[in-house]
Amino acid sequence: MRSATFLTVTTKILILVGLSVGLSLRATSAAAATPDEPASAAGREVTAPDAETIGWIFYDRAGLTPPLEDWARKDVERASREYKSPINEFNRDEYVENAKARLAKQFAAAKGVSEIRLELSGQLSDYDTEYEEFYIDVFKPGSFLSFKSRDETFTLKLTNAMAAYTWKVPKEQAMKIVQRVGSGWRSVKVSAQFRIVDASPTNGGGTLNMEAVGYTVLSSSGVPLGTVEIAKK
Amino acid sequence: MKDRFSTMALVLGLGMIAACSSGDSSTGHTTEVAVAAAGAGAPSAKPRAEETAPAGQAGSKPLAPGEGEGTTMPVKCPPEPSVPPRADGAPTDDILDLRPGMSFDDVVAISLCRDPKLRVDVDDRWHVSDTHGIETRQIVRVSDGEECSGQDIVADMRNSSDICSGGDFKAVKNATDQIFVAFNGVPEKEVAGAIWRSRTFAKDARPTVADLQKSLAEKYGEPHETRERNSELELAWTYDPLGRRMSKSNPALQDCRFSVSASYAGRHRWSADCGLTINARIDLDRQNPLLADALHVAVMQQKEFIEGTERFEEDLRTESRRQNEMEAEKAVKPEVKL
């Protein structure tokens, strides 16, 4: 597993919503990419994608054509309402064409992405002495990550949540981990790699089903506590 | 909520099913007091091999309101469930051989082979309210009660006697043994996700609480948790989605234990971080708490039920689109002059 390199970038809050029991956990995702500079898909892995990039990845994986013309026009209309905007009816079409080209470039950059790496904030459970494992709440079965972009909601769901949720650790090592994490909320960071399984449209967005490939658990100050590789079924 | 929950009467009347287990109703009804009578995976009733009984149209085709009553369709006894037997070492997950994962037809066949006198009623709504106009079979009641007549219901209301009950199903009286099964899935592709059984005992035939506890332990193993409150003894068996007894350190335990009421009429909550949950409740006799008035048991594969519901909802959307397209194709296309 490659080491995470995006721990220092600005983070933004996403909501991790419990499916059925109304849980509401907070997770953070490093937002390295911006709409103008989409995360690179080089190596078919994108690190810390923002919501718009997630949208592009969804459209690509679902085999759908994004309405670039419509989005470009809306972007330009929004920009033209800004105070002292240089956009007017004489140059609006030109701005729309430029915006469309920019969007097409972003979409192209997201094509072929097969893996996503995210940094998530979570909590470490008490050590389970019966099964010799911790539970990592960010992978709690039924949870999902939600990204909103352009009035659309894209949901990232795990197909192997239970495998990721349980972190097997021998008792001696667990005691050291607990000492490092400290008392209180036992906050940890999780740098996780996901493989995209498939994409399916929903009303007002879509779902990216993903498989956790592996993750590194770090203390809140960034000290690695352990790495997990999840066996493929 | 009768307006939203239209009950599709699928009454399998007494006379309609005769042959299925003519010699077996004794095994079906006299041994079921002890839950362990069904055994871990062992049939609770053993109808004569290869008997075939007409058993209404239950499970034979998608139901539609008004359709099916009086139609006959063979139910093969002993039943041949469409799901493989429980894996070795897996926790017991059945109530009278009914297990999560079974089809609608499995549930009806197993129930009627156990006792052909039981009536089966289907309701199209339970947990998925928006079915896009598609008739579904989300909940089934298998009951030994008799349908209440209009006069029964009027008398019941007049006397506040509570003799007839049914909720969203047709009201029945004198029911001592009722099973409810909740399904996911579009018609003919239903998959059972949760099963409840409520067994009430006559005053002169009340088992001891200790015997019921013993029977439950023989079937499901020693309970993971037992608690007593308000003349009720509750027992729980709680597994994680990996099929392991849920550890006390598992943060999900609080969400999973006792989250599904042992009685169908209770409150139910399920979560994707819970696996198989079995909840039982013994209602203690108020005069003699050593005797039981009733036994309620619920079995649910919570994670699978949630995932099944997601697939169900998606299939409903897909089926609705398909039906709309077919309707548009078949529609008479008059020339519209503008």
Side-chain angles (χ1 to χ4, degrees), chain B residues 6-17:
Chain B
S6 64
T7 302
M8 291 179 293
L10 202 189
V11 182
L12 306 178
L14 297 180
M16 290 164 53
I17 36 179

Side-chain angles (χ1 to χ4, degrees), chain B residues 98-131:
Chain B
L98 301 175
R99 295 172 54 210
M102 284 184 162
S103 69
F104 184 93
D105 289 4
D106 291 339
V107 168
V108 173
I110 289 170
S111 300
L112 293 178
C113 288
R114 181 168 65 86
D115 182 353
K117 297 185 188 71
L118 297 172
R119 55 175 289 138
V120 179
D121 296 279
V122 183
D123 199 359
D124 66 344
R125 301 288 166 82
W126 189 61
H127 59 302
V128 175
S129 54
D130 185 5
T131 63

Side-chain angles (χ1 to χ4, degrees), chain B residues 250-266:
Chain B
N250 190 326
L253 182 63
Q254 293 305 315
D255 290 335
C256 302
R257 55 193 277 279
F258 297 112
S259 60
V260 177
S261 172
S263 166
Y264 169 72

Side-chain angles (χ1 to χ4, degrees), chain B residues 175-196:
Chain B
T176 62
D177 195 354
Q178 300 206 95
I179 286 177
F180 296 85
V181 183
F183 291 92
N184 280 311
V186 293
E188 295 196 274
K189 289 182 180 170
E190 294 94 346
V191 177
I195 302 151
W196 292 264

Side-chain angles (χ1 to χ4, degrees), chain B residues 76-315:
Chain B
K76 200 175 176 186
C77 298
E80 295 175 358
S82 60
V83 294
R86 188 166 48 247
D88 288 342
T92 302
D93 62 351
D94 75 280
I95 294 178
L96 291 174
D97 293 336
L98 301 175
R99 295 172 54 210
M102 284 184 162
S103 69
F104 184 93
D105 289 4
D106 291 339
V107 168
V108 173
I110 289 170
S111 300
L112 293 178
C113 288
R114 181 168 65 86
D115 182 353
K117 297 185 188 71
L118 297 172
R119 55 175 289 138
V120 179
D121 296 279
V122 183
D123 199 359
D124 66 344
R125 301 288 166 82
W126 189 61
H127 59 302
V128 175
S129 54
D130 185 5
T131 63
H132 303 269
I134 296 165
E135 294 292 343
T136 58
R137 303 185 291 193
Q138 296 182 26
I139 188 85
V140 164
R141 179 186 67 183
V142 180
S143 170
D144 66 349
E146 308 157 42
E147 186 173 330
C148 285
S149 66
Q151 285 180 334
D152 288 333
I153 294 170
V154 170
D156 215 14
M157 290 172 70
R158 190 173 54 232
N159 305 327
S160 303
S161 51
D162 234 13
I163 290 170
C164 293
S165 63
D168 293 317
F169 292 99
K170 277 192 174 174
V172 291
K173 60 185 178 183
N174 303 325
T176 62
D177 195 354
Q178 300 206 95
I179 286 177
F180 296 85
V181 183
F183 291 92
N184 280 311
V186 293
E188 295 196 274
K189 289 182 180 170
E190 294 94 346
V191 177
I195 302 151
W196 292 264
R197 185 191 190 199
S198 286
R199 178 79 172 91
T200 54
F201 306 108
K203 277 280 178 195
D204 57 351
R206 285 169 299 175
T208 67
V209 173
D211 279 350
L212 284 180
Q213 280 184 275
K214 186 170 173 242
S215 297
L216 287 164
E218 282 173 8
K219 184 173 178 72
Y220 299 114
E222 285 302 316
H224 300 171
E225 195 172 347
T226 303
R227 67 184 187 191
E228 184 175 348
R229 58 180 188 182
N230 303 330
S231 299
E232 294 171 354
L233 186 67
E234 293 182 288
L235 306 92
W237 294 258
T238 311
Y239 296 89
D240 69 17
L242 297 176
R244 310 174 304 182
R245 173 186 173 151
M246 192 168 271
S247 158
K248 285 179 181 161
S249 303
N250 190 326
L253 182 63
Q254 293 305 315
D255 290 335
C256 302
R257 55 193 277 279
F258 297 112
S259 60
V260 177
S261 172
S263 166
Y264 169 72
R267 290 175 64 87
H268 314 293
R269 186 168 51 87
W270 53 94
S271 169
D273 48 0
C274 314
L276 171 69
T277 57
I278 301 157
N279 296 302
R281 192 184 84 211
I282 300 170
D283 294 347
L284 311 183
D285 185 279
R286 289 186 186 271
Q287 268 73 52
N288 183 353
L290 298 177
L291 297 176
D293 278 342
L295 170 66
H296 311 272
V297 186
V299 167
M300 188 177 208
Q301 275 285 3
Q302 297 195 24
K303 180 172 184 285
E304 289 176 16
F305 195 71
I306 283 198
E307 291 172 351
T309 301
E310 287 181 34
R311 287 192 297 273
F312 182 21
E313 290 173 330
E314 184 57 39
D315 288 350

Side-chain angles (χ1 to χ4, degrees), chain A residues 19-21 23 125-131 133 135 140-143 157 159 162-163 165-166 168 201-203, chain B residues 132 240-242 244-252 255 269-274 303 306-307 310 314 317 321:
Chain A
L19 248 189
S20 63
V21 292
L23 290 173
S125 73
D126 278 1
Y127 183 64
D128 187 334
T129 52
E130 188 176 349
Y131 297 122
E133 62 198 20
Y135 301 94
K140 188 173 178 174
S143 300
K157 286 186 183 173
T159 58
M162 195 60 198
Y165 183 50
T166 52
K168 285 271 179 204
T202 58
N203 285 339
Chain B
H132 303 269
D240 69 17
L242 297 176
R244 310 174 304 182
R245 173 186 173 151
M246 192 168 271
S247 158
K248 285 179 181 161
S249 303
N250 190 326
D255 290 335
R269 186 168 51 87
W270 53 94
S271 169
D273 48 0
C274 314
K303 180 172 184 285
I306 283 198
E307 291 172 351
E310 287 181 34
E314 184 57 39
R317 284 190 287 271
R321 277 196 298 270

